Amino acid sequence: RTFSLDAMQNAEGTTVDLYVPRKCSATNRLIQAKDHGSVQINIAHVDANGTNSGAYTTVALCGFVRQNGAADAALTRIWEEKQRGELRGQ
């Protein structure tokens, strides 16, 4: 018996991955598929009137950070860095 390890392809024929791992925004660790303590939070951007502009920032926190009780501090640090434009890719 032979098995084919063909990659998943979309309608255009380009190869797509079935699983794209996330990285923790606080520690830069890869978040494994079995990390059931991890969360992904979308922070909405609002204008001066407090109305949602439709844009958002995504923050992923691994279970390790949450288990150590550092998620609140990490989220605050990440958001302040984002506001100052210090995050990579900004």
Side-chain angles (χ1 to χ4, degrees), residues 10-24:
N10 61 9
E12 288 81 35
T14 56
T15 303
V16 294
D17 291 328
L18 294 176
Y19 174 71
V20 178
R22 297 175 293 162
K23 285 183 83 173
C24 177

PDB file of all heavy atoms in Angstrom, residues 10-24:
ATOM      1  N   ASN A  10      -6.184  24.840  -2.560  1.00  0.00           N
ATOM      2  CA  ASN A  10      -7.465  25.522  -2.730  1.00  0.00           C
ATOM      3  C   ASN A  10      -7.879  25.467  -4.198  1.00  0.00           C
ATOM      4  O   ASN A  10      -7.249  24.798  -5.009  1.00  0.00           O
ATOM      5  CB  ASN A  10      -7.397  26.956  -2.197  1.00  0.00           C
ATOM      6  CG  ASN A  10      -6.380  27.801  -2.925  1.00  0.00           C
ATOM      7  OD1 ASN A  10      -5.822  27.395  -3.927  1.00  0.00           O
ATOM      8  ND2 ASN A  10      -6.139  28.997  -2.418  1.00  0.00           N
ATOM      9  N   ALA A  11      -8.952  26.174  -4.556  1.00  0.00           N
ATOM     10  CA  ALA A  11      -9.493  26.117  -5.918  1.00  0.00           C
ATOM     11  C   ALA A  11      -8.509  26.646  -6.960  1.00  0.00           C
ATOM     12  O   ALA A  11      -8.522  26.202  -8.108  1.00  0.00           O
ATOM     13  CB  ALA A  11     -10.801  26.901  -5.984  1.00  0.00           C
ATOM     14  N   GLU A  12      -7.643  27.585  -6.570  1.00  0.00           N
ATOM     15  CA  GLU A  12      -6.669  28.138  -7.512  1.00  0.00           C
ATOM     16  C   GLU A  12      -5.451  27.236  -7.683  1.00  0.00           C
ATOM     17  O   GLU A  12      -4.597  27.487  -8.507  1.00  0.00           O
ATOM     18  CB  GLU A  12      -6.202  29.524  -7.062  1.00  0.00           C
ATOM     19  CG  GLU A  12      -7.240  30.618  -7.221  1.00  0.00           C
ATOM     20  CD  GLU A  12      -8.231  30.633  -6.084  1.00  0.00           C
ATOM     21  OE1 GLU A  12      -7.838  30.333  -4.932  1.00  0.00           O
ATOM     22  OE2 GLU A  12      -9.408  30.921  -6.336  1.00  0.00           O
ATOM     23  N   GLY A  13      -5.322  26.206  -6.853  1.00  0.00           N
ATOM     24  CA  GLY A  13      -4.201  25.288  -6.955  1.00  0.00           C
ATOM     25  C   GLY A  13      -3.024  25.645  -6.072  1.00  0.00           C
ATOM     26  O   GLY A  13      -2.003  24.965  -6.094  1.00  0.00           O
ATOM     27  N   THR A  14      -3.134  26.694  -5.255  1.00  0.00           N
ATOM     28  CA  THR A  14      -2.043  27.051  -4.351  1.00  0.00           C
ATOM     29  C   THR A  14      -2.133  26.205  -3.086  1.00  0.00           C
ATOM     30  O   THR A  14      -3.223  25.866  -2.626  1.00  0.00           O
ATOM     31  CB  THR A  14      -2.087  28.544  -3.983  1.00  0.00           C
ATOM     32  OG1 THR A  14      -3.359  28.846  -3.434  1.00  0.00           O
ATOM     33  CG2 THR A  14      -1.829  29.413  -5.191  1.00  0.00           C
ATOM     34  N   THR A  15      -0.996  25.876  -2.550  1.00  0.00           N
ATOM     35  CA  THR A  15      -0.939  25.041  -1.357  1.00  0.00           C
ATOM     36  C   THR A  15      -1.307  25.858  -0.132  1.00  0.00           C
ATOM     37  O   THR A  15      -0.809  26.960   0.066  1.00  0.00           O
ATOM     38  CB  THR A  15       0.477  24.453  -1.187  1.00  0.00           C
ATOM     39  OG1 THR A  15       0.798  23.730  -2.370  1.00  0.00           O
ATOM     40  CG2 THR A  15       0.557  23.545   0.011  1.00  0.00           C
ATOM     41  N   VAL A  16      -2.198  25.322   0.695  1.00  0.00           N
ATOM     42  CA  VAL A  16      -2.601  25.977   1.937  1.00  0.00           C
ATOM     43  C   VAL A  16      -2.382  25.011   3.087  1.00  0.00           C
ATOM     44  O   VAL A  16      -2.494  23.803   2.925  1.00  0.00           O
ATOM     45  CB  VAL A  16      -4.076  26.436   1.902  1.00  0.00           C
ATOM     46  CG1 VAL A  16      -4.283  27.530   0.880  1.00  0.00           C
ATOM     47  CG2 VAL A  16      -5.002  25.282   1.615  1.00  0.00           C
ATOM     48  N   ASP A  17      -2.044  25.539   4.246  1.00  0.00           N
ATOM     49  CA  ASP A  17      -1.831  24.712   5.425  1.00  0.00           C
ATOM     50  C   ASP A  17      -3.145  24.481   6.143  1.00  0.00           C
ATOM     51  O   ASP A  17      -4.008  25.352   6.200  1.00  0.00           O
ATOM     52  CB  ASP A  17      -0.846  25.380   6.390  1.00  0.00           C
ATOM     53  CG  ASP A  17       0.567  25.419   5.838  1.00  0.00           C
ATOM     54  OD1 ASP A  17       0.926  24.493   5.099  1.00  0.00           O
ATOM     55  OD2 ASP A  17       1.298  26.370   6.162  1.00  0.00           O
ATOM     56  N   LEU A  18      -3.264  23.303   6.740  1.00  0.00           N
ATOM     57  CA  LEU A  18      -4.448  23.004   7.512  1.00  0.00           C
ATOM     58  C   LEU A  18      -4.393  23.650   8.882  1.00  0.00           C
ATOM     59  O   LEU A  18      -5.408  24.011   9.450  1.00  0.00           O
ATOM     60  CB  LEU A  18      -4.610  21.488   7.671  1.00  0.00           C
ATOM     61  CG  LEU A  18      -4.885  20.726   6.387  1.00  0.00           C
ATOM     62  CD1 LEU A  18      -4.915  19.238   6.668  1.00  0.00           C
ATOM     63  CD2 LEU A  18      -6.201  21.161   5.794  1.00  0.00           C
ATOM     64  N   TYR A  19      -3.200  23.798   9.434  1.00  0.00           N
ATOM     65  CA  TYR A  19      -3.033  24.345  10.772  1.00  0.00           C
ATOM     66  C   TYR A  19      -1.908  25.361  10.755  1.00  0.00           C
ATOM     67  O   TYR A  19      -0.789  25.046  10.353  1.00  0.00           O
ATOM     68  CB  TYR A  19      -2.718  23.230  11.765  1.00  0.00           C
ATOM     69  CG  TYR A  19      -2.401  23.735  13.149  1.00  0.00           C
ATOM     70  CD1 TYR A  19      -3.384  24.268  13.959  1.00  0.00           C
ATOM     71  CD2 TYR A  19      -1.103  23.700  13.643  1.00  0.00           C
ATOM     72  CE1 TYR A  19      -3.102  24.740  15.219  1.00  0.00           C
ATOM     73  CE2 TYR A  19      -0.808  24.171  14.904  1.00  0.00           C
ATOM     74  CZ  TYR A  19      -1.808  24.685  15.681  1.00  0.00           C
ATOM     75  OH  TYR A  19      -1.515  25.159  16.927  1.00  0.00           O
ATOM     76  N   VAL A  20      -2.203  26.563  11.162  1.00  0.00           N
ATOM     77  CA  VAL A  20      -1.191  27.613  11.265  1.00  0.00           C
ATOM     78  C   VAL A  20      -1.032  27.929  12.744  1.00  0.00           C
ATOM     79  O   VAL A  20      -1.963  28.430  13.379  1.00  0.00           O
ATOM     80  CB  VAL A  20      -1.604  28.875  10.485  1.00  0.00           C
ATOM     81  CG1 VAL A  20      -0.561  29.966  10.656  1.00  0.00           C
ATOM     82  CG2 VAL A  20      -1.817  28.553   9.031  1.00  0.00           C
ATOM     83  N   PRO A  21       0.119  27.602  13.335  1.00  0.00           N
ATOM     84  CA  PRO A  21       0.286  27.847  14.772  1.00  0.00           C
ATOM     85  C   PRO A  21       0.362  29.341  15.081  1.00  0.00           C
ATOM     86  O   PRO A  21       0.819  30.134  14.266  1.00  0.00           O
ATOM     87  CB  PRO A  21       1.606  27.160  15.108  1.00  0.00           C
ATOM     88  CG  PRO A  21       2.336  27.069  13.823  1.00  0.00           C
ATOM     89  CD  PRO A  21       1.309  26.985  12.744  1.00  0.00           C
ATOM     90  N   ARG A  22      -0.114  29.700  16.282  1.00  0.00           N
ATOM     91  CA  ARG A  22      -0.051  31.081  16.741  1.00  0.00           C
ATOM     92  C   ARG A  22       1.153  31.246  17.660  1.00  0.00           C
ATOM     93  O   ARG A  22       1.680  30.283  18.186  1.00  0.00           O
ATOM     94  CB  ARG A  22      -1.318  31.442  17.508  1.00  0.00           C
ATOM     95  CG  ARG A  22      -2.556  31.372  16.698  1.00  0.00           C
ATOM     96  CD  ARG A  22      -3.772  31.613  17.539  1.00  0.00           C
ATOM     97  NE  ARG A  22      -3.930  30.505  18.479  1.00  0.00           N
ATOM     98  CZ  ARG A  22      -4.670  30.553  19.578  1.00  0.00           C
ATOM     99  NH1 ARG A  22      -5.303  31.642  19.894  1.00  0.00           N
ATOM    100  NH2 ARG A  22      -4.773  29.523  20.368  1.00  0.00           N
ATOM    101  N   LYS A  23       1.576  32.499  17.839  1.00  0.00           N
ATOM    102  CA  LYS A  23       2.651  32.806  18.782  1.00  0.00           C
ATOM    103  C   LYS A  23       2.082  33.652  19.901  1.00  0.00           C
ATOM    104  O   LYS A  23       1.244  34.525  19.666  1.00  0.00           O
ATOM    105  CB  LYS A  23       3.773  33.563  18.091  1.00  0.00           C
ATOM    106  CG  LYS A  23       4.636  32.689  17.202  1.00  0.00           C
ATOM    107  CD  LYS A  23       5.766  33.465  16.616  1.00  0.00           C
ATOM    108  CE  LYS A  23       6.878  33.521  17.612  1.00  0.00           C
ATOM    109  NZ  LYS A  23       8.105  34.113  17.078  1.00  0.00           N
ATOM    110  N   CYS A  24       2.549  33.389  21.111  1.00  0.00           N
ATOM    111  CA  CYS A  24       2.131  34.173  22.260  1.00  0.00           C
ATOM    112  C   CYS A  24       2.674  35.589  22.104  1.00  0.00           C
ATOM    113  O   CYS A  24       3.856  35.786  21.825  1.00  0.00           O
ATOM    114  CB  CYS A  24       2.652  33.527  23.541  1.00  0.00           C
ATOM    115  SG  CYS A  24       2.260  34.454  25.038  1.00  0.00           S
TER     116      CYS A  24
END
